[in-house]
Amino acid sequence: MAFNRDFNSDPFIVIWELTRACQLKCLHCRAEAQYKRDPRELSFEEGKTLIDQIYEMNNPMLVFTGGDPLMRPDVFDIAEYAVKKGVRVSMTPSATPNVTKEAIEKAKNVGLSRWAFSLDGPTAEIHDHFRGTAGSFDLTMERIKYLHELEIPIQINTVISRYNIDYLDEMAELVEKLDCVLWSVFFLVPTGRGQESDMISPVEHEKVFQWLYDLSKRVSFDIKTTAAQHYRRVVIQNKMREAKNQKDEIQYLDALTQQGLTGSIDGLGRAPKGVNDGNGFVFISHVGDVYPSGLLPVKAGNVREQTIGEIYRESPIFQDLRNPDKYKGKCGVCEFRHVCGGSRSRAYAMTGDYMESEPFCVYIPKALRKKEKTTN
Ligand code: SF4
């Protein structure tokens, strides 16, 4: 289903922020979550209409996020409606006392595909600092036991920052030990409560990408990255080195892109073609505002006024984001722009322009290297 999907008409994944309410106060919260629910949240009935519209977009994956989705008492009714329609739903609840055995049982009964928990460090000290709540690590460990008992596949989400970069080996060991199906590794974008000073450097990004690629070859879980489109470039470069086929890089990439095969390259985990903000990816806020991603706060419309399909397909913001030839700076001339394109969210967060170049990529595109040689 996913590989042949045309991202100009249908996204691969839809993220719906069911609520912004959450009991935690994480250091890098994108949503700047609040303790109380917003009365303007999409209602259950509006949610059902939204799910119908999402299904019409060639049935993409649907993720319930927050805030904490469990702060909505109707979360499992919404999930049930989606699952009965045939939508694959997963959820990213916060590790709070709301995650009871009963809640997990309900999730299992309605047929939730996967449960994702955040773990930002291999120890309580690191993780709890990050999440701003003592006891969050221990609670997560305990709830993972429930998930295993009920045989619900587990995903771990980790935000890479200067707080945990020195503990990544231990973190990977923990993900393996916890028998997770997917490790979703987020690279910090300075938006919401995320601070630029907490980010790792561009060179460190590159080193972590290489480390992740090597790791992907020896672990049983899949690895997926978020806000790290240039990881795809690192994977492709590695594959090419391994195949000792460095003769015609561009031709190789073009062939892959044209055949829609970039998603089948080993090591890319769950990602199909080059998913990027607004390109295979769409985010709906708790009040129905539509954004290219939760990390790119440029509103393209609201589902109370237009369908999600109309906004995704026709908004000039989304259309521009799906056109890497229009990107500025080095991303715009890079031979990897159609498979990578850099994080549009990070470009926006750091320059104010989502079409600008990814500021945390060390790669110098061939076109610029050639230009440099000619000028010298
Ligand atoms: S320059 Fe841009 S498109 Fe090229 S690899 Fe870096 S982030 Fe990706």
Side-chain angles (χ1 to χ4, degrees):
M1 80 59 231
F3 284 157
N4 297 325
R5 173 178 297 260
D6 177 1
F7 288 169
N8 287 311
S9 49
D10 303 312
F12 170 69
I13 188 162
V14 177
I15 313 281
W16 175 15
E17 177 190 65
L18 286 182
T19 177
R20 252 189 199 179
C22 181
Q23 294 174 341
L24 300 184
K25 31 184 188 311
C26 304
L27 224 52
H28 301 132
C29 183
R30 164 201 62 73
E32 299 183 76
Q34 310 297 322
Y35 285 112
K36 287 211 175 110
R37 287 183 59 197
D38 186 329
R40 300 169 304 155
E41 277 170 11
L42 293 181
S43 68
F44 179 52
E45 288 306 316
E46 286 173 317
K48 287 202 290 187
T49 308
L50 177 61
I51 288 167
D52 293 347
Q53 293 173 5
I54 291 171
Y55 182 78
E56 291 305 317
M57 291 194 292
N58 202 6
N59 196 9
M61 287 202 295
L62 176 60
V63 178
F64 292 161
T65 189
D68 179 7
L70 292 182
M71 293 292 277
R72 267 189 82 136
D74 57 359
V75 58
F76 293 114
D77 300 324
I78 302 172
E80 188 171 22
Y81 181 82
V83 172
K84 278 202 175 139
K85 239 189 131 73
V87 181
R88 286 140 311 133
V89 183
S90 58
M91 189 155 69
T92 61
S94 310
T96 71
N98 284 339
V99 186
T100 57
K101 206 163 194 174
E102 198 197 344
I104 298 175
E105 261 161 21
K106 271 193 194 161
K108 167 103 183 167
N109 291 340
V110 300
L112 218 76
S113 302
R114 186 179 303 160
W115 191 289
F117 267 137
S118 292
L119 263 184
D120 297 305
T123 64
E125 196 190 348
I126 303 169
H127 174 81
D128 290 357
H129 169 70
F130 216 80
R131 292 285 145 189
T133 308
S136 172
F137 182 85
D138 292 343
L139 194 80
T140 306
M141 292 299 134
E142 203 183 291
R143 293 331 195 231
I144 286 177
K145 275 189 212 148
Y146 289 172
L147 290 167
H148 276 312
E149 271 174 39
L150 295 169
E151 295 177 350
I152 298 186
I154 305 164
Q155 167 179 334
I156 294 292
N157 298 339
T158 301
V159 182
I160 304 286
S161 72
R162 71 183 174 88
Y163 296 105
N164 57 12
I165 181 155
D166 294 331
Y167 304 96
L168 295 184
D169 284 319
E170 292 90 332
M171 198 54 229
E173 266 170 42
L174 182 61
V175 175
E176 181 106 72
K177 201 173 106 194
L178 295 172
D179 197 14
C180 302
V181 291
L182 179 70
W183 189 21
S184 182
V185 186
F186 289 67
F187 289 77
L188 196 61
V189 172
T191 190
R193 284 203 279 263
Q195 296 294 318
E196 197 177 326
S197 54
D198 292 343
M199 292 174 73
I200 59 171
S201 71
V203 171
E204 284 169 329
H205 274 77
E206 197 73 7
K207 284 185 182 161
V208 177
F209 294 160
Q210 187 58 48
W211 175 82
L212 275 176
Y213 176 72
D214 294 337
L215 181 76
S216 72
K217 293 200 280 188
R218 52 172 206 269
V219 292
S220 53
F221 52 85
D222 277 341
I223 295 173
K224 163 185 168 314
T225 55
T226 296
Q229 281 68 20
H230 32 336
Y231 175 57
R232 303 183 69 83
R233 187 248 308 150
V234 170
V235 170
I236 291 167
Q237 285 176 310
N238 271 281
K239 290 283 167 198
M240 285 167 53
R241 264 196 296 273
E242 285 162 18
K244 297 202 177 11
N245 180 8
Q246 298 184 41
K247 278 187 232 140
D248 197 337
E249 204 166 297
I250 298 173
Q251 204 179 346
Y252 176 83
L253 283 172
D254 280 351
L256 287 174
T257 312
Q258 275 162 21
Q259 293 165 44
L261 286 177
T262 46
S264 63
I265 295 169
D266 294 340
L268 286 182
R270 315 284 300 176
K273 292 175 278 185
V275 172
N276 207 330
D277 307 314
N279 189 6
F281 197 104
V282 55
F283 179 92
I284 303 146
S285 84
H286 63 305
V287 295
D289 288 339
V290 177
Y291 299 94
S293 90
L295 299 166
L296 209 176
V298 179
K299 182 177 154 184
N302 186 290
V303 295
R304 284 180 168 132
E305 289 151 20
Q306 277 175 287
T307 68
I308 180 70
E310 276 167 356
I311 301 170
Y312 178 82
R313 290 171 192 141
E314 292 162 25
S315 144
I317 300 167
F318 276 71
Q319 287 185 351
D320 275 353
L321 284 164
R322 286 195 292 267
N323 187 354
D325 293 336
K326 279 177 122 181
Y327 293 169
K328 298 176 185 168
K330 67 176 183 174
C331 285
V333 295
C334 181
E335 67 275 21
F336 288 100
R337 66 190 179 279
H338 290 276
V339 286
C340 164
S343 162
R344 299 294 96 216
S345 303
R346 191 172 294 106
Y348 180 76
M350 306 198 65
T351 69
D353 181 352
Y354 51 77
M355 298 302 277
E356 259 303 340
S357 211
E358 157 69 70
F360 275 57
C361 173
V362 294
Y363 185 71
I364 301 173
K366 277 189 174 171
L368 295 183
R369 274 181 267 158
K370 272 186 207 147
K371 211 171 157 191
E372 238 168 58
K373 267 190 202 160
T374 336
T375 341
N376 294 337

